[in-house]
Amino acid sequence: APRVFSGIQPTADSFHLGNYLGALRQWVALQDSHDAFYCVVDLHAITVEHDPALLRHRSRVSAAQLLAMGIDQERSTLFVQSQVPEHAELAWVLGCLTGFGEAGRMTQFKDKSAKQGTSATTVGLFTYPVLMASDILLYTPEPGAGARLEVPVGEDQRQHLELTRTLAQRFNHRFGDTFVLPDGYIPKTAAKITDLQEPTVKMSKSASSPQGIVDLLEEPGPLRKKIMRAVTDTGTEVRYDEAEKPGVTNLMRIFAALDGTTPDAIEARYAGSGYGQFKKDLAAIVVDALTPIRERTQALLADEDELDKLLARGAERASAVASRTMEIVRDRVGFVGRGR
Ligand code: AQP
């Protein structure tokens, strides 16, 4: 089976519906067809100032939510990045293959550093894409016919994946064929979810207001209210029209994704019935979808030792692959081995 690697930052107290429908739900599906490595990337989370206790908590919540969604530690490998030190080690080697100007062209760095100002911008934020390249390439299958390494990515990570391919190619060229070039793709079923109050901008943990974002741990009561109060557009028709009806269109996307139906079918079902019934039904669908995730997350978090053990198992399996890759890398780069 082709390998797949994906990572997510533990930077909020809960994932939101955009993360789920745009990325994480595809992680669950990919387990059936891929040898999957899923990583809670806590090293990435310290590129900006953070609180240690909160980071630890958020890493556990993130992992618990992934397990609650259906990531299965028996079928895939779920782990916390900092438990596999090879991520930082390979990042050093790749950093030494990255041009300063090349890294400086990363638009995400330019945007984020402009927002933060130079004094708050860390070298870690600058080299973030190199660490991401390391995350992916550590899990390279052995190069050869049919070897595939796939990376589901959002639009904002495209440039970083391009850099990853460049670095893999550069390493292979200088030191011999070591890495399979990863292929990035946007999963077909990924839905872009927008803010419930500002339906023309994406739902986002940093930019959305509490009323605009649905987080996965939300209780049914407030959750229902939030859906009922979501901004809809003038008119009464439930019609899929991104330009004219961004609010209703966003709700239809959520509906379709969670109910396994299509916008056309939804239009037909609510023809002539107005927004009210549609929203009520949507609220019920969202509550039904999120309740088991919330309950399982809470159950997993209630036994921290057990959760940590489960994650340690993932780290062990990830380590087996990562340490093998690093052995080859160290040797090819010219480091003296420790011998046996
Ligand atoms: N609204 C969304 N619709 C679809 N997919 C989304 N993703 C995020 N928002 C949506 C996908 O979720 C993964 C993790 O993304 P993220 O950590 O960047 O989450 P965020 O809420 O988008 O974060 P912020 O607050 O906007 O900012 P930053 O980037 O500064 O942390 C990704 O696969 C993303 O595509």
Side-chain angles (χ1 to χ4, degrees):
R3 255 199 200 146
V4 65
F5 176 89
S6 204
I8 184 121
Q9 286 202 53
T11 43
D13 292 329
S14 168
F15 293 131
H16 58 73
L17 196 59
N19 300 140
Y20 181 55
L21 296 180
L24 304 176
R25 209 167 59 134
Q26 285 70 40
W27 289 19
V28 178
L30 282 165
Q31 297 182 110
D32 294 330
S33 49
H34 287 69
D35 177 20
F37 287 80
Y38 296 133
C39 186
V40 174
V41 294
D42 53 350
L43 297 181
H44 287 271
I46 65 166
T47 52
V48 293
E49 205 178 313
H50 77 284
D51 176 86
L54 199 55
L55 175 63
R56 202 171 353 259
H57 169 70
R58 287 174 167 180
S59 293
R60 288 194 179 112
V61 174
S62 302
Q65 286 193 320
L66 292 169
L67 291 164
M69 284 171 202
I71 302 293
D72 175 358
Q73 195 64 297
E74 300 302 319
R75 288 195 295 153
S76 48
T77 299
L78 171 69
F79 66 105
V80 177
Q81 186 185 27
S82 59
Q83 293 183 7
V84 182
E86 284 84 355
H87 285 255
E89 189 183 0
L90 181 59
W92 176 258
V93 174
L94 295 176
C96 295
L97 293 176
T98 309
F100 189 81
E102 195 172 33
R105 282 195 292 277
M106 295 294 120
T107 55
Q108 191 178 77
F109 173 75
K110 288 198 276 192
D111 292 348
K112 286 196 176 173
S113 58
K115 247 186 251 165
Q116 292 175 6
T118 22
S119 57
T121 298
T122 65
V123 172
L125 188 68
F126 185 63
T127 56
Y128 180 111
V130 176
L131 180 58
M132 182 174 149
S134 159
D135 297 338
I136 296 166
L137 296 177
L138 271 179
Y139 300 95
T140 182
E142 226 175 286
R148 267 160 57 204
L149 177 57
E150 295 179 2
V151 186
V153 284
E155 204 43 69
D156 51 334
Q157 296 298 327
R158 281 252 162 217
Q159 196 187 19
H160 294 167
L161 191 79
E162 229 11 81
L163 177 72
T164 304
R165 289 174 59 89
T166 302
L167 293 176
Q169 216 159 10
R170 196 170 291 158
F171 187 101
N172 288 351
H173 186 71
R174 296 254 303 260
F175 304 114
D177 213 12
T178 307
F179 298 117
V180 169
L181 302 200
D183 291 310
Y185 68 101
I186 298 177
K188 273 200 281 304
T189 53
K192 191 181 149 223
I193 305 303
T194 59
D195 188 300
L196 297 185
Q197 293 301 318
E198 270 184 87
T200 54
V201 301
K202 75 165 195 168
M203 184 180 286
S204 137
K205 63 175 174 280
S206 52
S208 291
S209 67
Q211 285 308 308
I213 191 167
V214 170
D215 83 43
L216 300 186
L217 298 181
E218 208 124 13
E219 299 284 338
L223 182 52
R224 241 179 245 119
K225 268 203 197 117
K226 217 177 251 197
I227 303 281
M228 295 308 290
R229 288 183 190 154
V231 166
T232 33
D233 314 277
T234 49
T236 54
E237 249 180 305
V238 177
R239 182 161 53 85
Y240 196 86
D241 183 338
E242 184 88 63
E244 296 287 319
K245 291 174 162 274
V248 173
T249 298
N250 186 44
L251 298 181
M252 289 174 80
R253 263 202 295 263
I254 297 171
F255 193 120
L258 292 178
D259 205 41
T261 175
T262 63
D264 281 350
I266 298 169
E267 275 177 21
R269 185 154 143 202
Y270 294 98
S273 71
Y275 295 150
Q277 189 59 44
F278 166 66
K279 279 177 145 181
K280 229 168 139 182
D281 292 349
L282 175 63
I285 287 168
V286 175
V287 168
D288 281 353
L290 298 194
T291 297
I293 297 178
R294 175 175 49 85
E295 288 175 351
R296 283 199 289 265
T297 301
Q298 285 162 347
L300 284 157
L301 288 171
D303 191 347
E304 220 162 64
D305 289 346
E306 195 52 39
L307 177 63
D308 288 357
K309 262 190 226 151
L310 206 55
L311 290 173
R313 284 222 318 263
E316 221 169 277
R317 285 206 304 272
S319 282
V321 177
S323 65
R324 210 179 148 269
T325 304
M326 262 331 282
E327 254 174 54
I328 298 169
V329 167
R330 285 189 210 106
D331 179 60
R332 297 203 168 150
V333 167
F335 298 153
V336 176
R338 268 204 214 163
R340 282 166 202 277

